[in-house]
Amino acid sequence: MKRRDSLKAITLSSLGFAGLNPQISAAESIMPPDVKPVKIPGGRQKFEAERDAKLNADKFFTPHELKTVTVLGDIIIPADAKSGSASQAGTPAFIEFMMKDQPQWQTPMRGGLRWLDNVCTKRFGKKFADCLKAQQIEIVDEIAYPGKAKPEMSQGVAFFNMMRGFVATGFFTSQMGIKDLGYVGNTPNQWEGVPADVLKQYNLSYDE
Amino acid sequence: MDVPQIKKAAKVYDVVIVGSGAGGGMAAYQLSKAGATVCLLEAGGYFDPADPKYINQLKWAYESPRRGAGTTRAFGDFDAAWGGWEIEGEPYSAVKGTEFHWFRSRMLGGRTNHWGRISLRMGPDDFKRKSLTGIGEDWPLSYEDYAPYYDKVDDLIGVFGSKEGLRDAPDGRFLPPPKPRLHELMIKKAGKSIGVPVIPSRLSILTKPIHDRGGCFYCAQCGRACQAYADFSSSSVLCIPAVKTGRVTLINGAMAREVITDPKTGLATGVSYVDVPTMTEQSVMGKVVVLAASTCETARLLLNSKSARFQNGLANSSGVVGKYLNDSTGASRGAFIPALMDRKRYNEDGVGGAHVYSPWWLDNKKLDFPRGYHIEYGGGMGMPMYGFGFGMEGRNSIVPGRDGKPKAAGGYGADLKDDFRRFYGANIGMAGRGEPVPLESNYCEIDPNTVDKYGIPTLRFNYKWGEAEIKQAKHMQDTFEEIIHAMGGIALGKKPGPETNYGLEAPGKIIHEIGTARMGNDPKTSVLNKYSQAHDVKNLFVVDAAAFPSQGDKNVTWTILANSWRTSDYIIDQVKQKNI
Ligand SMILES: Cc1cc2nc3c(=O)[nH]c(=O)nc-3n(C[C@H](O)[C@H](O)[C@H](O)COP(=O)(O)OP(=O)(O)OC[C@H]3O[C@@H](n4cnc5c(N)ncnc54)[C@H](O)[C@@H]3O)c2cc1C
Ligand code: SF4
C-alpha cells in the first residue's frame, strides 16, 4: 500500500544520517557550558525556538485588556449549536502571542481597546468589559458594520475589523474551529478526484 | 596552524562545488556517481526532510503559536526555507529609484526544499528569442541540445504531467497527473469557453513511487518538504544520495568568500570560505571549481574574486558578470465564486500545488508586448491558517444570506460565524508568470561601501521593469477578469491599473532570477561558453541560472537541473580527455 511505502521511506532515510554530519557536532561543541540551551522542537531553527521561548515568557495584555479581548471575542464568535466560543477555543491567548510576535499590531490593538473603553465610559460611565451585555451590543452594533457606521465611529470600525480578523483566525485555526469548519485533510490519503455526487451537483465530469 | 588544518589544505579534490541547491546538488550527484571526489561547500546548515529534527509536515495550524504566520519564515511558519528576503548580518542594497528583492535559503538543498515544484521545460523558441523577435538574446544552444537532458532529469527525479503536443511547452516523460480539484474543473470549463487552455500541471511530485522514494500521500504540503521524499528537493534526491557514494565531502556552514586562482596559470585552484560555526577562515583545493550558489550569489563570488590577473573580478574580461539579471514577471488577482458557497466537505488537499495550469496560448506578434506568460491557479478547502477570516467585511455582503435577504457587510455573532462556514473554500487565485526581456541595464554589482558579517563585500542591485513587462502585466489582469467572469465569479479588490503597473510584482519577487554570468559564443558579450565553462578560466564552471541568457516563461529550475547535468557530463569528458 502507498501509505506503508511512504512510511518505509521515512524510517529508512531517517536512520541517523544527520548524526554523521560533523558540522552539527562542531556547532554544538562551541556552545559555552553555562548557557542552558532552549529545547528545539522538531521543525524549528534554534533562533526561532529561543525567540518563541522569550515571547512566551513576556506579557503584553494587562488583565483588564485581556478581559476586554475575551468579552469582545465571544461576542464576535459565540458558542452555538455546532461548537464553542472564541475563548473556549483559546483565542485570547493566541491574540496575546501575536501582539508580541508581530509588534506592529500593538498600537492599533492597545489603542483600539482604549478607544472602546473611552466611548463606553462617556456613554455608560463604565469600561466596555464592565458594561451590561445590552450596552456592549449597542456599541458593537455601531462599529461592526462598516457600510452603516457613522463617520465619528470610523476608528472603532477599523479596530473592529482587525479584531474580527484575529478572532476568526484564532478560532478557525484551533482544533475546535477546524472541526467546526469541516476541514478533513492533513492526513495521508489517496486523491481520487472530486466525489461523484459533487461532480453531479456542479454538472461537471472528468470526461470532457 | 594545527595539524588537521595542514592535512585539510593538502587534500586536492577533483571538484569543489559551491552551493547545494538545484544546480550544485545535480553536479555533486553526477560527478560523484562518475567517480570524482567532490567537496560540496554549503553556507547553510544540514537538512534532511525525513529527519524528525526538521519535520513540519502534517503539523496542524494550532501547533504553531502564530498559527502558521510568516513572522520568521516568509512563506509561513511551517515552510521549509531557512532564510528569506532578509538574512540577519547579510545585507544587500539597491541603487536609488530601483528595486530588487533577493530570496535566499541557507540550508542543504537551498531553495529546492520549499519551492513550488513547477517543473517546466523551455520550448524551442525560448532558446532563439533574438533570431525570432529581434530583441533579447539567443542561447548558444537549442532545445534539441537540452531535450535528452530534460528526459534524463524527468526519469531521475520524477515529474507528472500530460502529453499535450504543444510546441511551446514540450512534453516530458511524465508520471500520471492527479485529477483536477473542483475549482480547477470550473477553471478548465471557463477557460475552454474563452479560449484559454487549462491543462494538467507539471510538478516534480511522485504520483507513483520511483527509485526507493515514497509515493505522494496527498497532503498538499510540499512547501514544508516531504518526509517520504515524494517531491523533489535537492537535499533528499541529490545531495544525500551523493554523500552516500562516499566520494562527497559535504561541509555545511561553509560560506564561500572567493575562488582562488593561480597567478601564473590563471586557473582556479580552490575556494576560500568562512567556517560559520567557528568563524574561521578556511579553504579547499580542487582541480575544477563549480559555482552554484544561485544566480546573484555566483555573480557576487566572481566579482569578489579579484586578483592582479583578474582585476575586474574572475571570468569577467567581458564586463558582463552581474549584467542581464532578470526575474519572471508576476501579477495576480483573487476571486470569490458564489457557486462554491456552502460546499460539501471532503479531503481535497491533493498535491502541494495546483493540479492544472495554463501554458501561454497567444501569438505575441499580434500583441503589444513581446513575450508570453503562463497562469498558475490556487483555491480549495485547505487547512485554515493565519489570516483566515481577515477581510470578511469585504466579502459577506456580496451575496444574500441564507434567508435570501441582503446582508450588511461585516457583523458579528452566530450569523458571522456561519458566514465563515459558508464562504470556506469559495475563493480562487490566479497568478501570471511571464518572460521578461533581459536588459544590460538591469544588474547587480559589488556595493563599494558595505560588507556582510563575514567581511565579504555585498551586492547592490540596479533593476527597473521596462514597457514590455508592464504591458504584459496589463494583459494578465484583463485575462484574469475574463476567466473570473466566465466562471460566474466576482473579482476581489480593485482591478490593478497603471498606478501600480497593473499589479506587476517588484523585481526579484517571483524568485526566478537568472542571467548574471550568461553563456554565449562570443567571449566579449558573454561569461561562459555553451558548456557553462568560463571563457577566461577553463576549469571554472557555473551550473546555476546565472548561466542563462533568457528564461522563457518557464520557471527555471528544470532547466537548471538539465544544464547542470549537461555541464557535469562535459566536465567528465574534458577530464578524461585531459583538457582540464
Ligand atoms: C517560494 C519559492 C517557490 C519557487 N517555486 C518554483 C517553482 O515552482 N518552479 C521553479 O522552477 N522554481 C521555483 N522557485 C525557484 C527555485 O527555488 C530556484 O530556481 C532554484 O532553487 C535555484 O537553484 P540554485 O541551485 O541556483 O540555487 P539555490 O536553490 O538557491 O541554492 C543555492 C545554495 O547555495 C548556498 N550558497 C549561497 N551562497 C553561498 C556561499 N557564498 N557559499 C556557500 N554556499 C552558498 C545557499 O545556501 C543555497 O543552499 C521557487 C523559489 C521559491 C523561493
Ligand atoms: S503533497 Fe505529496 S509530495 Fe508533497 S509533501 Fe505531501 S505527500 Fe509529499
Side-chain angles (χ1 to χ4, degrees):
Chain A
M1 225 200 75
K2 282 270 158 47
R3 157 91 169 134
R4 198 169 290 151
D5 282 349
S6 51
L7 289 183
K8 202 170 95 200
I10 292 166
T11 42
L12 274 182
S13 49
S14 38
L15 276 180
F17 200 83
L20 295 177
N21 176 26
Q23 294 308 128
I24 289 173
S25 43
E28 279 161 8
S29 64
I30 57 165
M31 174 123 49
D34 53 325
V35 179
K36 204 153 139 223
V38 171
K39 190 177 160 343
I40 306 172
R44 298 285 82 197
Q45 299 167 84
K46 184 160 172 273
F47 90 90
E48 291 171 319
E50 287 166 355
R51 188 175 174 276
D52 284 356
K54 192 177 164 297
L55 296 184
N56 280 322
D58 286 352
K59 249 197 174 25
F60 175 71
F61 285 133
T62 65
H64 170 73
E65 286 169 336
L66 191 61
K67 189 172 155 200
T68 311
V69 167
T70 305
V71 171
L72 199 52
D74 284 353
I75 290 174
I76 293 170
I77 296 198
D80 64 1
K82 203 166 176 195
S83 65
S85 71
S87 66
Q88 284 165 345
T91 301
F94 159 70
I95 299 175
E96 156 82 20
F97 184 87
M98 286 316 296
M99 295 304 116
K100 299 173 297 197
D101 191 47
Q102 299 189 353
Q104 73 267 25
W105 296 109
Q106 290 182 0
T107 300
M109 177 61 74
R110 176 153 282 154
L113 292 169
R114 279 195 93 93
W115 179 95
L116 188 65
D117 275 347
N118 187 259
V119 168
C120 290
T121 309
K122 275 190 200 151
R123 199 177 297 179
F124 308 117
K126 276 187 233 136
K127 291 179 174 176
F128 178 80
D130 305 323
C131 285
L132 299 171
K133 182 87 195 198
Q135 295 170 327
Q136 289 169 344
I137 294 299
E138 182 182 318
I139 299 294
V140 166
D141 274 328
E142 291 178 37
I143 57 178
Y145 299 95
K148 296 199 293 194
K150 293 200 195 94
E152 63 266 29
M153 301 303 269
S154 61
Q155 292 85 2
V157 170
F159 165 69
F160 197 84
N161 284 344
M162 172 185 74
M163 202 65 189
R164 189 194 293 108
F166 271 116
V167 171
T169 280
F171 181 80
F172 285 107
T173 58
S174 72
Q175 205 163 4
M176 182 192 285
I178 288 173
K179 187 157 176 268
D180 177 320
L181 204 58
Y183 170 71
V184 289
N186 197 34
T187 181
N189 72 104
Q190 193 63 41
W191 166 255
E192 308 278 13
V194 179
D197 59 327
V198 177
L199 283 177
K200 207 166 149 218
Q201 181 193 345
Y202 290 90
N203 204 10
L204 290 164
S205 85
Y206 281 114
D207 310 320
E208 290 156 55
Chain B
M1 255 192 215
D2 58 13
V3 177
Q5 272 175 336
I6 289 169
K7 249 197 200 151
K8 205 162 160 191
K11 165 132 192 166
V12 180
Y13 292 92
D14 291 333
V15 187
V16 177
I17 301 173
V18 182
S20 64
M26 181 58 91
Y29 185 90
Q30 296 304 337
L31 294 167
S32 65
K33 292 268 173 182
T37 58
V38 174
C39 182
L40 180 56
L41 298 178
E42 168 50 55
Y46 190 79
F47 181 78
D48 177 353
D51 185 330
K53 247 201 238 152
Y54 309 115
I55 292 176
N56 281 316
Q57 194 184 22
L58 296 180
K59 283 189 185 162
W60 290 95
Y62 48 82
E63 293 178 70
S64 154
R66 56 189 65 72
R67 309 290 168 91
T71 316
T72 62
R73 301 190 187 202
F75 296 97
D77 214 23
F78 295 133
D79 189 78
W82 298 345
W85 299 109
E86 308 291 337
I87 295 179
E88 176 100 12
E90 299 190 46
Y92 58 90
S93 57
V95 167
K96 220 173 153 201
T98 82
E99 197 176 359
F100 194 81
H101 299 263
W102 189 16
F103 193 99
R104 291 167 289 178
S105 294
R106 289 268 185 267
M107 61 201 301
L108 186 67
R111 291 175 293 181
T112 65
N113 292 300
H114 63 105
W115 68 310
R117 272 78 181 180
I118 298 173
S119 304
L120 304 175
R121 297 176 175 212
M122 287 176 49
D125 295 351
D126 292 330
F127 293 92
K128 301 287 167 216
R129 284 304 185 207
K130 189 171 186 181
S131 331
L132 292 171
T133 70
I135 49 170
E137 192 52 88
D138 285 351
W139 288 52
L141 295 161
S142 66
Y143 178 71
E144 285 64 41
D145 293 306
Y146 281 101
Y149 285 97
Y150 280 134
D151 284 352
K152 290 203 270 187
V153 172
D154 291 356
D155 288 344
L156 175 68
I157 290 178
V159 53
F160 69 69
S162 57
K163 299 260 185 211
E164 302 285 337
L166 302 169
R167 176 181 165 79
D168 186 49
D171 295 333
R173 295 164 62 89
F174 293 133
L175 300 169
K179 287 182 178 168
R181 304 174 177 95
L182 179 58
H183 67 276
E184 293 168 336
L185 282 173
M186 297 169 98
I187 291 168
K188 193 173 157 193
K189 189 171 165 190
K192 201 168 183 182
S193 73
I194 57 169
V196 176
V198 178
I199 65 170
S201 296
R202 295 165 173 190
L203 308 182
S204 42
I205 294 171
L206 303 187
T207 48
K208 282 209 165 104
I210 57 168
H211 312 312
D212 297 337
R213 289 160 55 202
C216 175
F217 53 82
Y218 303 98
C219 74
Q221 295 169 13
C222 297
R224 305 185 189 185
C226 188
Q227 58 189 290
Y229 292 179
D231 57 11
F232 171 67
S233 295
S234 176
S235 53
S236 54
V237 180
L238 298 173
C239 296
I240 291 172
V243 170
K244 282 185 180 161
T245 63
R247 286 185 285 276
V248 176
T249 302
L250 165 65
I251 309 185
N252 283 108
M255 179 69 189
R257 175 186 290 284
E258 281 174 42
V259 178
I260 312 166
T261 47
D262 182 325
K264 284 202 255 357
T265 62
L267 292 175
T269 56
V271 175
S272 66
Y273 67 93
V274 177
D275 183 62
V276 178
T278 59
M279 284 304 268
T280 55
E281 297 290 330
Q282 306 285 346
S283 60
V284 284
M285 297 299 145
K287 293 175 203 158
V288 170
V289 171
V290 174
L291 299 183
S294 80
T295 295
C296 300
E297 187 74 27
T298 286
R300 181 184 177 205
L301 270 165
L302 290 173
L303 293 170
N304 275 331
S305 302
K306 282 187 189 166
S307 61
R309 188 169 177 146
F310 300 107
Q311 300 193 0
N312 230 356
L314 192 58
N316 196 24
S317 62
S318 63
V320 169
V321 173
K323 292 184 180 159
Y324 300 100
L325 170 63
N326 64 98
D327 181 27
S328 295
T329 57
S332 58
R333 193 84 194 269
F336 159 60
I337 312 296
L340 285 173
M341 283 186 81
D342 301 314
R343 299 180 58 175
K344 182 179 170 181
R345 306 310 202 232
Y346 54 93
N347 183 348
E348 70 164 357
D349 280 351
V351 304
H355 293 184
V356 298
Y357 89 114
S358 293
W360 179 234
W361 66 102
L362 295 172
D363 180 356
N364 288 97
K365 284 197 206 90
K366 297 176 187 151
L367 297 163
D368 66 348
F369 56 98
R371 301 286 193 266
Y373 61 88
H374 70 259
I375 307 174
E376 302 170 6
Y377 299 101
M381 296 184 286
M383 189 193 305
M385 299 292 267
Y386 181 79
F388 181 97
F390 274 87
M392 183 52 106
E393 64 278 5
R395 193 106 13 119
N396 63 346
S397 65
I398 297 178
V399 283
R402 277 194 201 274
D403 56 7
K405 291 196 190 121
K407 278 180 73 112
Y412 64 91
D415 189 50
L416 173 77
K417 192 178 180 183
D418 192 42
D419 278 345
F420 291 116
R421 298 173 188 135
R422 303 195 66 205
F423 282 77
Y424 174 57
N427 277 358
I428 61 155
M430 280 164 292
R433 296 286 179 260
E435 176 177 3
V437 176
L439 299 174
E440 191 180 3
S441 55
N442 286 337
Y443 59 90
C444 57
E445 61 186 341
I446 298 300
D447 188 325
N449 308 314
T450 313
V451 293
D452 65 11
K453 66 179 170 190
Y454 308 111
I456 304 173
T458 60
L459 282 182
R460 180 168 72 186
F461 291 92
N462 194 319
Y463 197 126
K464 272 189 193 158
W465 288 125
E467 272 306 298
E469 288 77 27
I470 295 167
K471 284 184 175 151
Q472 192 193 50
K474 178 175 189 298
H475 194 273
M476 290 181 193
Q477 295 296 353
D478 293 342
T479 307
F480 299 155
E481 289 212 334
E482 259 190 273
I483 296 172
I484 294 166
H485 294 151
M487 290 179 78
I490 295 161
L492 295 173
K494 195 173 147 271
K495 184 177 183 182
E499 67 292 343
T500 62
N501 286 341
Y502 305 93
L504 179 60
E505 296 277 358
K509 280 279 183 181
I510 308 306
I511 325 182
H512 297 152
E513 70 282 0
I514 70 150
T516 55
R518 65 180 192 173
M519 60 170 92
N521 290 324
D522 183 354
K524 286 197 207 63
T525 57
S526 61
V527 178
L528 310 169
N529 67 16
K530 65 179 179 180
Y531 299 104
S532 297
Q533 177 180 30
H535 289 302
D536 302 347
V537 186
K538 69 175 182 185
N539 67 340
L540 177 67
F541 295 82
V542 172
V543 297
D544 55 33
F548 298 174
S550 71
Q551 58 176 299
D553 66 87
K554 317 293 166 24
N555 314 19
V556 292
T557 309
W558 221 240
T559 304
I560 296 177
L561 292 160
N563 188 58
S564 178
W565 193 330
R566 184 174 181 276
T567 304
S568 303
D569 279 359
Y570 179 74
I571 293 173
I572 295 159
D573 174 68
Q574 291 298 293
V575 168
K576 278 192 187 142
Q577 297 197 33
K578 307 226 183 321
N579 288 340
I580 47 173

